[in-house]
């Protein structure tokens, strides 16, 4: 007589369910890691955009005239900068007689962006030349 089985035994069903559960757990963990990585990438991109905007806003900044200050943007963000000098100031070389019209000095400018909600973007530091006119505009050489 042949022993014939219909269906699965309880142990076979439990083993299959265990394998499926481990596989689904691994898939859900991978999905969680992908979501976190996407959030970090989005935050990094937002910071880069904010730094590029701050750099554009401070493009015409003269650190000799305004060594520190702040700009409040329409969206509620605030851009603040602080400058510190390198070395000493010098008179620029004038052409053709050698008498310059400007006092110039190199500055290190640190710009910090405070986004609405008190979130601070990583500070941006760059070098900028500051200047001041030594002679009135009406004077000539």
């Amino acid at each position: 007589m042949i022993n014939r089985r219909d269906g699965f035994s309880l142990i076979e069903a439990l083993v299959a369910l265990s394998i499926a559960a481990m596989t689904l757990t691994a898939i859900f963990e991978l999905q969680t890691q992908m979501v976190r990585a996407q959030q970090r990438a989005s935050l990094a991109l937002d910071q880069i955009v904010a730094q590029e905007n701050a750099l554009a806003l401070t493009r015409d900044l003269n650190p000799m005239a305004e060594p520190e200050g702040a700009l409040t943007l329409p969206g509620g963000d605030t851009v603040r900068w602080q400058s510190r000098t390198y070395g000493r100031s010098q008179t620029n070389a004038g052409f053709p007689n050698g008498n310059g019209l400007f006092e110039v000095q190199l500055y290190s400018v640190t710009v910090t962006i405070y986004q609405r909600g008190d979130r601070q973007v990583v500070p941006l530091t760059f070098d900028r030349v500051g200047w001041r006119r030594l002679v009135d505009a009406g004077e000539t050489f």
Side-chain angles (χ1 to χ4, degrees):
M1 181 165 169
I2 300 176
N3 189 5
R4 188 174 160 175
R5 291 179 21 187
D6 290 334
F8 298 104
S9 71
L10 181 60
I11 292 179
E12 291 172 332
L14 288 175
V15 168
L17 284 173
S18 299
I19 292 172
M22 286 187 286
T23 304
L24 288 174
T25 301
I27 290 172
F28 289 140
E29 182 60 31
L30 179 63
Q31 184 179 10
T32 302
Q33 289 177 2
M34 290 174 56
V35 167
R36 288 183 188 147
Q38 177 63 34
Q39 289 171 341
R40 284 192 308 270
S42 177
L43 181 62
L45 186 59
D46 288 346
Q47 288 189 355
I48 289 171
V49 168
Q51 287 177 336
E52 287 177 344
N53 289 340
L55 192 57
L57 287 169
T58 57
R59 182 186 65 209
D60 296 329
L61 173 69
N62 179 359
M64 190 175 278
E66 287 185 272
E68 57 185 51
L71 294 169
T72 302
L73 305 178
D77 296 350
T78 303
V79 176
R80 293 186 183 171
W81 67 89
Q82 290 183 330
S83 306
R84 63 180 176 86
T85 60
Y86 285 132
R88 58 185 178 84
S89 63
Q90 297 182 1
T91 304
N92 72 319
F95 182 80
N97 60 4
N99 296 327
L101 298 175
F102 294 92
E103 175 185 10
V104 294
Q105 187 167 12
L106 184 61
Y107 287 82
S108 173
V109 180
T110 301
V111 178
T112 307
I113 303 107
Y114 297 93
Q115 294 181 324
R116 59 193 169 279
D118 293 331
R119 199 175 100 212
Q120 180 179 347
V121 175
V122 176
L124 175 66
T125 302
F126 52 90
D127 293 337
R128 178 73 40 95
V129 174
W131 69 94
R132 177 176 54 215
R133 189 169 179 86
L134 294 174
V135 200
D136 290 335
E139 290 186 39
T140 57
F141 285 89

